Amino acid sequence: MENKNVTIILVHGAWGDGSHWRHVIENLHNEGYSVRSVQNPLTSLADDIQKTKDLIDMQPGKVLLVGHSYGGAVISGAGHHDKVAGLVYIAAFAPEKGESLGGIFARREQPSGAANIYPDEKGFLWVKYDKFHESFAQDLNKEDSIVMSLSQKPIHGSIFGTEVGEPAWKTKPSWYQVSDKDHMIPPATQKEMAERMNPKKIIHLDASHASLAVRPKEVSELIKEAVAGIS
């Protein structure tokens, strides 16, 4: 099947893991696409880029990287891999060389979700369990939000101060989905990053930060369009 010529690798962001892509995985797999979802440690940007590259290494041919949220910074680094033919950003960071995620946040007033993030004694950042729904996924059903909240995976705070290297979106074709009701990364910031990339396509969804869970059909369609664009 033609869809098998490209492996789609889904890269999760902070406060989640590969299962955040559950519905997208079901959609793509059921239509015959080859799809994998990485499990990153969220311990440092370098660690997460390496873990993603390890999964890329295992694939037989071309790879499309899809990053959600912080995963956008990861695919911007891992995307230099020879097998990577394209990049899709889902409500994601797309930093320029020398930028940090904290610096990108500092450009404008903090989103409402930022007030609900707190560190533990080892420097990992968490979203308050009882504030996860309103911060991350206000349009997701309460049951799924509770599961996301109680199973959240923290991210090390040092990652937000890490300056990134030359991003792969400068040389690889890219696509971007903006979440217009995002409480974690301001929609205006997403739009700025997307337009700066000069992607093949930008789509807007009337969705929270968890667009991959709330609007998996539309997210899957954008991914399929990107696969067609690099096949």
Side-chain angles (χ1 to χ4, degrees):
M1 189 181 291
E2 185 184 15
N3 295 344
K4 297 290 187 182
N5 293 340
V6 176
T7 301
I8 300 160
I9 292 184
L10 306 170
V11 183
H12 65 85
W15 304 296
D17 65 7
S19 67
H20 273 201
W21 297 101
R22 176 188 162 189
H23 300 301
V24 172
I25 290 169
E26 289 172 354
N27 288 348
L28 296 171
H29 178 74
N30 289 343
E31 291 190 36
Y33 288 87
S34 177
V35 59
R36 301 287 184 269
S37 186
V38 72
Q39 296 283 15
N40 279 328
L42 305 182
T43 44
S44 73
L45 180 58
D47 289 347
D48 295 333
I49 288 172
Q50 186 58 56
K51 183 63 73 174
T52 301
K53 284 181 174 178
D54 290 346
L55 189 56
I56 296 169
D57 283 337
M58 293 172 64
Q59 309 315 313
K62 280 188 196 174
V63 167
L64 177 75
L65 289 180
V66 185
H68 173 244
S69 187
Y70 159 66
V74 177
I75 70 171
S76 294
H80 292 293
H81 195 294
D82 290 345
K83 289 183 179 180
V84 176
L87 308 162
V88 182
Y89 293 78
I90 305 299
F93 285 105
E96 171 64 280
K97 183 181 180 181
E99 288 182 343
S100 68
L101 306 189
I104 291 171
F105 269 131
R107 288 181 194 159
R108 49 175 48 89
E109 188 177 347
Q110 293 287 289
S112 60
N116 298 320
I117 297 169
Y118 68 98
D120 65 19
E121 61 186 18
K122 293 188 176 180
F124 284 88
L125 302 178
W126 299 77
V127 177
K128 293 175 183 174
Y129 289 115
D130 60 343
K131 299 291 187 181
F132 195 96
H133 177 73
E134 69 183 65
S135 302
F136 199 96
Q138 73 273 13
D139 49 357
L140 187 62
N141 69 70
K142 286 290 181 70
E143 292 77 13
D144 285 348
S145 276
I146 288 169
V147 173
M148 273 193 179
S149 171
L150 301 183
S151 64
Q152 68 176 280
K153 186 173 183 176
I155 183 169
H156 200 272
S158 62
I159 289 174
F160 288 88
T162 302
E163 292 185 358
V164 306
E166 197 72 33
W169 53 257
K170 287 191 171 180
T171 56
K172 306 278 175 95
S174 59
W175 290 258
Y176 198 105
Q177 178 259 305
V178 177
S179 284
D180 288 333
K181 297 286 177 65
D182 202 313
H183 295 168
M184 297 300 291
I185 303 177
T189 300
Q190 293 181 35
K191 186 168 177 285
E192 281 177 0
M193 291 187 290
E195 290 174 350
R196 176 173 69 179
M197 291 164 58
N198 192 27
K200 299 285 187 184
K201 187 173 190 175
I202 298 173
I203 66 166
H204 287 256
L205 294 178
D206 185 32
S208 68
H209 192 56
S211 55
L212 74 175
V214 180
R215 304 288 289 276
K217 183 176 184 296
E218 292 91 334
V219 169
S220 298
E221 288 300 320
L222 183 64
I223 293 169
K224 285 157 57 179
E225 195 172 314
V227 171
I230 64 172
S231 293

